[in-house]
Amino acid sequence: MAESTGAFVAPASLMGTGDLGLIIERATGSVLVINTTQHSVLGRIEGLGDLSHASVVYSRDGRYGYVFGRDGGLSKVDLLTGALVNRVVQSGNSIGGAISQDGRYVAVSNYEPGGVKVFDSETLALVVEVPAVYVGKDGGPERSKTVGLVDAPGNRFIFSLFDAGQIWTLDMAEPTPQIHRLEAGEAPYDALITPDGRYYIAGLFGEDGLSMLDLWHPESGVIEILPGYGKGEQKLPVYKMPHLEGWAVADGRSFFPAVGHHQVLVAAMDDWSLLEKIDVQGQPVFVMASPDNRQIWVSFAHPRNDVIQVIDSETLEVIKTLEPGKAVLHMEFTPRGEEVWVSARDSNRVTVFSTRTLEPVNVLEAEKPSGIFFTSRAQTLGL
């Protein structure tokens, strides 16, 4: 088992960042800088605040990671020097963020106060603030939690308003940022953008279905897809909301976690019709495709969150059940998909699995690890 240390191991010579990444240590407000090729921990960066629901995006060159903390903290870290470059506390409660297509702007999605703030990626100076204000039931102004923030082509950010049931687009390409508001389904809780950047899809907690916006034709408005996918079935308690950002596209089909059901949903990408429901061992949280689209890896919510199940994308059958440790929280594929790293919070470890053999090849120690984010995300829309 590889041990993590507090001291940062500076590279002995010039190096790139293509095989580096960050692992969130949620209980200690720190991140581990790791090397995926060597299965090594370069060191720990501390002082990042509350990382209980943290995520990371990267600068275009993969050198800097922008860490979004639950306490509203936005931290910029240097993966090559192991330094905390800058940190701002920009809200009372935040829930992730995104970096613009050109790398100039970093946006943060906030619960409290509800809205989105956009910062200069170099200096972390505030560029624009977008309060998520909508007309409430009594006719007066109210402020909504914002969720599902992603970057989109055209230097846009797209996000959803949980309380308002709306989807907003923020165009940063114009001299003055432009906001467009569209009505969506009830209580969007998370969202994704398809790999080609065309479709923005928000999961709905208030109803069985999803809201979709075609960014090529936004004038068509938001449409509902997979309506009533749980109709006639008894819903189960939801202990942890699914994460749509880790959705899967494989073989012309999309794979979604079902809310309140022990199922992975399979939909056709041409007309978004429901094709199949795959029964799994618990309520899915992350449903992720390997880079070659051959496998779908699924993690689960409490209380059955100590396992991972692997689905064959062609046969739609569960082919392997793995036990990486207690309280599995996140998975991340290496850029070309030969391995997947899996964090187990309550076992204080990250296990590296071979996607060919489905067997563990290494284990790294970490303090209450959660999110795993590799620098290959710097070149991917929506991540």
Side-chain angles (χ1 to χ4, degrees):
M1 178 179 288
E3 294 186 1
S4 61
T5 63
F8 189 82
V9 181
S13 59
L14 292 176
M15 65 177 294
T17 59
D19 60 354
L20 301 185
L22 295 172
I23 296 175
I24 302 295
E25 294 185 310
R26 59 184 288 147
T28 55
S30 56
V31 294
L32 295 180
V33 183
I34 53 90
N35 183 298
T36 61
T37 302
Q38 300 172 358
H39 293 170
S40 63
V41 176
L42 300 181
R44 176 179 286 115
I45 304 174
E46 301 176 324
L48 307 186
D50 181 357
L51 300 185
S52 58
H53 194 289
S55 60
V56 179
V57 298
Y58 289 99
S59 59
R60 287 164 66 96
D61 59 4
R63 176 170 180 175
Y64 299 103
Y66 300 88
V67 184
F68 307 101
R70 194 57 186 262
D71 58 358
L74 167 60
S75 302
K76 181 178 181 180
V77 301
D78 188 332
L79 276 69
L80 292 182
T81 65
L84 174 57
V85 177
N86 198 355
R87 172 174 162 79
V88 295
V89 177
Q90 53 82 48
S91 77
N93 188 338
S94 61
I95 193 73
I99 189 165
S100 62
Q101 186 178 32
D102 63 5
R104 293 175 56 195
Y105 306 111
V106 175
V108 189
S109 180
N110 292 318
Y111 272 10
E112 182 184 323
V116 168
K117 290 184 179 180
V118 182
F119 299 85
D120 181 283
S121 63
E122 287 290 329
T123 65
L124 298 192
L126 182 63
V127 176
V128 63
E129 180 175 0
V130 182
V133 177
Y134 69 102
V135 178
K137 293 181 179 179
D138 61 357
E142 295 188 23
R143 200 147 170 170
S144 172
K145 304 180 188 69
T146 54
V147 296
L149 172 64
V150 300
D151 61 284
N155 238 31
R156 289 174 291 177
F157 293 114
I158 319 293
F159 55 95
S160 297
L161 277 63
F162 178 84
D163 304 290
Q166 296 177 356
I167 294 173
W168 290 14
T169 67
L170 173 60
D171 189 343
M172 296 297 297
E174 299 293 333
T176 301
Q178 300 295 311
I179 302 169
H180 301 280
R181 301 167 177 83
L182 302 104
E183 295 298 323
E186 184 179 352
Y189 65 86
D190 195 14
L192 58 94
I193 192 168
T194 53
D196 60 3
R198 176 170 182 175
Y199 297 104
Y200 177 86
I201 301 172
L204 302 175
F205 189 66
E207 56 187 282
D208 285 333
L210 302 98
S211 288
M212 185 182 75
L213 173 64
D214 184 346
L215 295 174
W216 289 10
H217 301 287
E219 69 281 358
S220 299
V222 176
I223 66 171
E224 184 180 13
I225 62 173
L226 302 182
Y229 65 74
K231 188 176 182 180
E233 300 178 12
Q234 181 179 1
K235 275 197 172 184
L236 301 170
V238 178
Y239 295 103
K240 182 176 177 61
M241 293 303 295
H243 283 255
L244 292 185
E245 189 172 292
W247 79 317
V249 173
D251 194 26
R253 297 171 291 185
S254 59
F255 295 75
F256 295 91
V259 177
H261 303 282
H262 291 181
Q263 294 174 332
V264 171
L265 309 178
V266 186
M269 291 288 288
D270 53 356
D271 62 1
W272 298 101
S273 60
L274 183 63
L275 299 176
E276 191 69 62
K277 299 177 182 179
I278 305 172
D279 291 328
V280 289
Q281 66 89 38
Q283 295 181 45
V285 175
F286 283 101
V287 177
M288 302 175 67
S290 57
D292 64 358
N293 290 338
R294 195 66 183 84
Q295 300 168 353
I296 309 298
W297 287 59
V298 185
S299 66
F300 300 95
H302 175 81
R304 307 182 70 180
N305 60 345
D306 296 346
V307 303
I308 294 288
Q309 288 193 307
V310 184
I311 298 171
D312 184 300
S313 65
E314 186 175 35
T315 66
L316 304 184
E317 295 179 351
V318 176
I319 57 174
K320 189 81 170 182
T321 297
L322 306 170
E323 299 181 2
K326 298 178 180 179
V328 172
L329 291 188
H330 200 234
M331 304 173 288
E332 182 85 334
F333 290 94
T334 50
R336 294 196 177 191
E338 77 284 356
E339 293 174 345
V340 59
W341 291 42
V342 181
S343 64
R345 181 194 63 201
D346 294 348
S347 293
N348 293 308
R349 68 180 182 229
V350 173
T351 304
V352 183
F353 288 92
S354 165
T355 53
R356 181 173 180 175
T357 67
L358 303 183
E359 296 294 333
V361 295
N362 211 334
V363 177
L364 291 83
E365 290 183 353
E367 293 290 334
K368 302 296 181 185
S370 55
I372 305 171
F373 305 93
F374 297 156
T375 53
S376 53
R377 288 171 169 256
Q379 316 307 327
T380 305
L381 278 169
L383 296 178

